[in-house]
């Protein structure tokens, strides 16, 4: 028997089999549901609110969810069996942050795309001029082209009819040297391009009118692969030894990209078949996944993937639903953990031509650090872990409704919650602010140890530390408590944050050392990435995530990776520059350095 359920907030209806698992059904329907434990019932990230659908709670749900949550229809999707019709409401995804966070940086760039249209007016064939239709068009176009033009078979199959229909006049849509489509003369259809940034957590798309260079729509959504693991390593582990699983992840990713590209087209009121080229950036594992490549050796020493070079392929080979003969250009990566997204940041922030030392940091599960000086560009990747995205934190969650996102310890303890709702957990920026504030107030010491009231050295700290309690073997700070709910920061959460902070800071220290400069020589610090744009600069310095830079030297650059992808789409020269950058960058493998461990241990200290 089929049961109809409605998925909110999208309003999409699904026909599901009675007895089906809700999490599996949602994922099979291409709906991204955060479930990093893969349905084991341990991560508690697959919480959804249902009405109807199922009335029986599992023991695990009764144990893990509060009575209030159960009363309000909250369920763990992985534990829920579809029994009757109803509605399931997914947590509101805060993709608007990702959406809003990119804009073309700096100076205007000239519009010289790889995909463009060329007007043609051919002489009609006569007995004295029997050149074939394609030869006639190719000769015409080659007058203004540096290289011979080419055509694919489907175009040759339609060319004779089109030329005669339009009296041998028209517009040739060129992608590189290939005539990809023919338009009627003076057609107003235009040529579109698509820039894609494939993040481990978020997919972002920018639709560009390639005749004007204007971005006409942007959007973002969660990467549907989240259902298979929160970070790249768990996805690599999932696909290990199984071509089927690799293909499964690739399919999910491409489905997500196709949904996203349809949405940007709808937003702009344009047809997806008018997209003739896409540029893609992302971390190296995501690019491998897009191409269906085996990423196993990215995760195993000596960390070597299948390819880091740029690649241009037909969109049809990937199943990306742009024009059927459109092309996809993937920007080059640098190393297994420093991908095309970092090349794009270097490109967008013009780090390849700086005359003074500049630092760029992309803070995420895998934090990438770039140090550019007049004569070299150094990169490193740091295994920061998922703490900044709420991972491995007892009440960690993404920056969505209900997440505590900022804290103030003085003059009185207060916090803000995204969506002004009841707090449900702490997002990455909230975690960082809380630890920074408690550190400043003296409730957490330099080693990261949470202090009891009797161990603190001031009345302010003692007052705040009354919220610290001993729980089993460890301590925890109570942030919020009412009859049904409590949210705490545990000693282990502080350790996780120290690991993330220590990894990124050690990356910065070691690149500075490698470049043979001092931290004080750095003239500008650029924070990239969605998370990077929401951290509090002052608290990042206070914690020691960043060295003691004057705050005016620290700037947010939005989604620099998307900016780079847009640049490479709009201007062919920028695309060539991206290839040069990837060849020029010197990647520093931190784990191979003898001073890594000592630096990392030192950087674990708060405020250091
Ligand atoms: S608890 Fe992890 S997927 Fe449900």
């Amino acid at each position: 028997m089929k049961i109809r359920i409605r998925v909110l907030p999208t309003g999409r209806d699904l026909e599901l089999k009675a007895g089906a698992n809700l999490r599996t059904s949602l994922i099979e329907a291409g709906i991204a549901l955060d479930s990093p434990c893969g349905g084991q019932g341990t991560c508690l990230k697959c919480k959804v609110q249902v009405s109807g659908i199922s009335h029986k709670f599992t023991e695990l749900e009764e144990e893990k969810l509060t009575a209030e949550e159960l009363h309000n229809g909250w369920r763990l999707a992985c534990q829920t069996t579809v029994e009757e019709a109803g509605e399931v409401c997914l947590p509101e995804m805060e993709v608007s942050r990702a959406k809003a966070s990119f804009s073309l940086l700096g100076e205007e760039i000239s519009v010289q795309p790889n995909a463009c249209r060329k007007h043609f007016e051919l002489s009609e064939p006569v007995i004295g001029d029997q050149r074939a239709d394609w030869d006639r068009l190719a000769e015409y176009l080659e007058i203004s082209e540096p290289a011979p033009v080419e055509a694919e078979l489907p175009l040759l199959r339609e060319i004779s009819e089109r030329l005669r229909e339009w009296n041998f006049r028209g517009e040739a849509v060129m992608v590189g040297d290939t005539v990809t489509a023919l338009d009627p003369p003076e057609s107003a259809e235009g040529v579109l391009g698509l820039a894609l940034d494939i993040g481990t957590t978020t997919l972002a798309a920018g639709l560009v009118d390639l005749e004007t260079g204007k971005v006409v729509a942007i959007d973002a959504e969660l990467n549907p692969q989240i259902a298979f693991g929160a970070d790249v390593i768990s996805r690599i582990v999932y696909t290990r030894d199984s071509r089927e699983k690799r293909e499964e992840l690739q399919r999910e990713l491409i489905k997500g990209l196709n949904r996203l590209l349809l949405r940007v087209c709808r937003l702009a009121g344009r047809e997806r078949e008018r997209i003739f080229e896409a540029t893609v950036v992302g971390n190296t594992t995501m690019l491998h996944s897009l191409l269906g490549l085996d990423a196993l050796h990215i995760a195993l020493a000596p960390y070597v993937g299948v390819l880091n070079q740029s690649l241009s392929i037909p969109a049809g080979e990937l199943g990306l639903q742009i024009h059927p003969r459109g092309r996809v250009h993937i920007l080059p990566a640098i190393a297994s953990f420093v991908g095309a997204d970092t090349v794009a940041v270097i490109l967008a922030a013009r780090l390849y031509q700086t005359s003074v030392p500049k630092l760029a940091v992309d803070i995420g599960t895998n934090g990438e650090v770039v140090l550019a000086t007049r004569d070299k560009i150094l990169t490193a990747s740091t295994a920061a872990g998922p703490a900044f995205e709420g991972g491995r934190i007892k009440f960690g969650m993404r920056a969505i409704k209900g997440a505590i996102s900022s804290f103030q310890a003085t003059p009185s303890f207060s916090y803000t919650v995204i969506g002004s709702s009841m707090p449900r957990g702490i997002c990455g920026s909230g975690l960082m602010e809380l630890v920074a504030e408690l550190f400043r107030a003296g409730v957490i010491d330099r080693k990261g140890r949470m202090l009891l009231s009797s161990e603190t050295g001031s009345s302010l700290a003692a007052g705040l530390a009354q919220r610290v309690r001993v729980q089993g073997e460890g301590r925890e700070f109570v942030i919020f408590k009412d009859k049904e709910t409590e949210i705490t920061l545990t000693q282990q959460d502080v350790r996780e944050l120290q690991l993330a902070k220590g990894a990124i800071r050690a990356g910065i220290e070691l690149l500075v050392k490698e470049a043979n400069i001092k931290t004080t020589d750095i003239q500008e610090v650029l924070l990239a990435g969605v998370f990077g744009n929401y951290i509090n600069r002052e608290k990042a310095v206070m914690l020691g995530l960043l060295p003691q830079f004057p705050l005016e030297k620290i700037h947010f650059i939005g989604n620099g990776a998307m900016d780079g992808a847009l640049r490479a789409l709009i201007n062919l020269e920028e695309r060539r520059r991206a290839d040069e950058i990837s060849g020029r960058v010197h990647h520093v493998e931190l784990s191979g350095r003898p001073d890594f461990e000592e630096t990392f241990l030192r950087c674990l200290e708060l405020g250091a």
Side-chain angles (χ1 to χ4, degrees):
M1 188 180 68
K2 291 277 187 189
I3 291 177
R4 176 178 291 238
I5 69 164
R6 173 155 293 188
V7 183
L8 301 174
T10 59
R12 188 170 153 200
D13 287 330
L14 302 179
E15 299 259 311
L16 304 180
K17 268 202 206 131
N21 176 277
L22 184 57
R23 170 187 168 272
T24 313
S25 306
L26 291 172
I27 290 169
E28 282 173 0
I31 293 166
L33 184 69
D34 204 359
S35 49
C37 76
Q40 303 295 309
T42 54
C43 70
L44 311 188
K45 302 279 184 192
C46 65
K47 265 193 221 170
V48 290
Q49 208 169 10
V50 303
S51 111
I53 299 183
S54 158
H55 297 282
K56 287 186 220 125
F57 308 122
T58 61
E59 268 178 34
L60 191 118
E61 284 174 304
E62 282 178 320
E63 183 196 329
K64 303 283 185 188
L65 300 180
T66 64
E68 190 194 2
E69 283 177 318
L70 292 171
H71 176 74
N72 289 335
W74 286 97
R75 303 289 303 266
L76 294 176
C78 68
Q79 304 296 310
T80 303
T81 303
V82 177
E83 292 159 357
E84 61 175 46
E87 288 180 347
V88 52
C89 184
L90 306 176
E92 190 184 315
M93 300 309 180
E94 185 76 352
V95 291
S96 54
R97 285 188 162 197
K99 270 195 236 176
S101 68
F102 61 85
S103 59
L104 275 178
L105 281 171
E107 84 280 17
E108 288 281 305
I109 56 168
S110 66
V111 183
Q112 289 170 11
N114 190 42
C116 59
R117 287 196 302 181
K118 296 237 155 75
H119 181 72
F120 64 85
E121 295 196 17
L122 310 178
S123 55
E124 293 191 20
V126 289
I127 292 298
D129 176 5
Q130 291 178 320
R131 285 174 298 160
D133 290 339
W134 165 251
D135 302 358
R136 186 177 299 269
L137 177 62
E139 264 177 46
Y140 181 94
L141 294 172
E142 279 165 9
I143 295 170
S144 58
E145 284 293 317
V149 296
E150 293 177 7
E152 287 168 11
L153 199 49
L155 183 117
L156 297 179
R157 290 193 176 123
E158 64 181 53
I159 188 170
S160 297
E161 194 184 334
R162 296 281 168 262
L163 291 185
R164 282 159 187 82
E165 189 183 342
W166 303 329
N167 296 326
F168 288 83
R169 296 170 66 238
E171 316 293 330
V173 181
M174 313 274 306
V175 181
D177 299 330
T178 304
V179 180
T180 301
L182 297 174
D183 285 347
E186 283 95 41
S187 143
E189 292 263 43
V191 175
L192 297 172
L194 184 73
L196 294 171
D197 173 21
I198 305 179
T200 312
T201 307
T202 309
L203 308 177
L207 186 68
V208 181
D209 181 330
L210 290 178
E211 297 187 331
T212 62
K214 293 268 176 295
V215 179
V216 292
I218 56 172
D219 208 341
E221 72 168 54
L222 278 191
N223 185 334
Q225 290 189 346
I226 278 182
F228 302 89
D231 53 57
V232 294
I233 297 297
S234 38
R235 291 183 211 167
I236 291 173
V237 169
Y238 177 78
T239 56
R240 185 183 48 196
D241 305 331
S242 166
R243 175 187 279 264
E244 287 72 33
K245 287 186 175 169
R246 205 156 72 217
E247 287 171 356
E248 181 187 8
L249 254 65
Q250 185 193 26
R251 256 195 322 274
E252 289 306 318
L253 178 57
I254 288 169
K255 269 199 246 166
L257 293 173
N258 282 333
R259 272 198 303 275
L260 187 56
L261 79 86
L262 259 184
R263 273 220 313 277
V264 285
C265 287
R266 229 177 274 137
L267 281 173
R270 311 290 284 267
E271 297 294 325
R272 63 180 169 78
E273 289 80 8
R274 297 306 301 179
I275 302 174
F276 285 94
E277 192 171 45
T279 50
V280 183
V281 299
N283 65 55
T284 311
T285 304
M286 285 301 99
L287 298 182
H288 274 58
S289 186
L290 174 72
L291 295 167
L293 304 178
D294 184 357
L296 179 62
H297 296 281
I298 285 180
L300 301 175
Y303 315 115
V304 173
V306 175
L307 95 160
N308 287 335
Q309 292 180 4
S310 60
L311 187 68
S312 189
I313 47 174
E317 274 184 20
L318 283 183
L320 198 65
Q321 291 168 349
I322 60 174
H323 187 280
R325 295 192 289 279
R327 306 282 301 181
V328 177
H329 181 85
I330 297 167
L331 269 70
I334 294 166
S336 283
F337 291 100
V338 185
D341 43 1
T342 302
V343 171
V345 167
I346 297 170
L347 180 70
R350 300 307 200 218
L351 292 176
Y352 59 88
Q353 59 180 21
T354 182
S355 56
V356 292
K358 289 188 181 181
L359 180 74
V361 186
D362 191 337
I363 301 169
T365 308
N366 187 53
E368 289 100 13
V369 184
V370 180
L371 179 62
T373 64
R374 184 196 291 268
D375 49 20
K376 55 184 141 188
I377 308 173
L378 305 175
T379 60
S381 88
T382 65
F388 289 128
E389 283 159 3
R392 287 200 218 119
I393 301 300
K394 186 170 179 191
F395 287 94
M397 63 184 287
R398 292 222 167 76
I400 58 176
K401 191 172 175 182
I404 299 175
S405 60
S406 71
F407 282 90
Q408 195 73 42
T410 55
S412 59
F413 181 75
S414 61
Y415 51 80
T416 50
V417 182
I418 295 176
S420 307
S421 63
M422 284 283 287
R424 291 204 289 124
I426 320 169
C427 67
S429 59
L431 174 71
M432 210 185 78
E433 291 210 11
L434 177 60
V435 175
E437 285 286 296
L438 294 181
F439 172 58
R440 169 156 66 182
V443 180
I444 293 177
D445 69 12
R446 293 185 85 80
K447 299 270 180 218
R449 207 165 62 96
M450 212 177 263
L451 305 177
L452 295 172
S453 217
S454 56
E455 297 166 334
T456 56
S458 73
S459 57
L460 168 71
L464 269 173
Q466 283 176 358
R467 289 172 173 263
V468 178
R469 68 186 183 198
V470 178
Q471 194 76 346
E473 306 264 287
R475 296 175 175 188
E476 57 185 20
F477 181 90
V478 180
I479 303 164
F480 172 83
K481 186 171 169 43
D482 69 5
K483 260 195 255 141
E484 299 289 354
T485 318
E486 68 171 22
I487 297 171
T488 60
L489 172 82
T490 67
Q491 181 64 69
Q492 186 52 35
D493 295 341
V494 180
R495 298 287 177 233
E496 292 289 341
L497 183 77
Q498 282 179 280
L499 290 175
K501 172 260 175 199
I504 289 177
R505 180 62 186 274
I508 296 172
E509 298 285 318
L510 292 171
L511 285 197
V512 166
K513 196 168 169 186
E514 180 80 23
N516 207 15
I517 61 170
K518 294 194 281 307
T519 313
T520 47
D521 294 331
I522 294 172
Q523 297 304 308
E524 193 178 15
V525 180
L526 304 169
L527 296 180
V530 175
F531 179 72
N533 285 289
Y534 288 87
I535 69 171
N536 179 311
R537 292 177 294 177
E538 185 196 353
K539 286 170 186 163
V541 171
M542 192 196 299
L543 267 186
L545 173 66
L546 297 175
Q548 293 287 331
F549 294 121
L551 296 189
E552 61 275 13
K553 277 191 179 180
I554 306 173
H555 299 118
F556 301 115
I557 60 165
N559 184 347
M562 172 53 87
D563 243 320
L566 286 167
R567 284 175 182 278
L569 183 65
I570 297 169
N571 186 300
L572 206 46
E573 193 48 43
E574 297 274 336
R575 194 178 297 186
R576 291 196 191 103
R577 209 166 269 150
D579 286 326
E580 277 168 29
I581 289 170
S582 88
R584 202 187 128 191
V585 166
H586 174 57
H587 176 63
V588 180
E589 181 55 54
L590 298 181
S591 61
R593 289 183 64 110
D595 50 357
F596 173 69
E597 203 172 317
E598 175 268 320
T599 310
F600 175 62
L601 290 175
R602 181 164 43 77
C603 291
L604 286 176
E605 276 203 7
L606 299 180

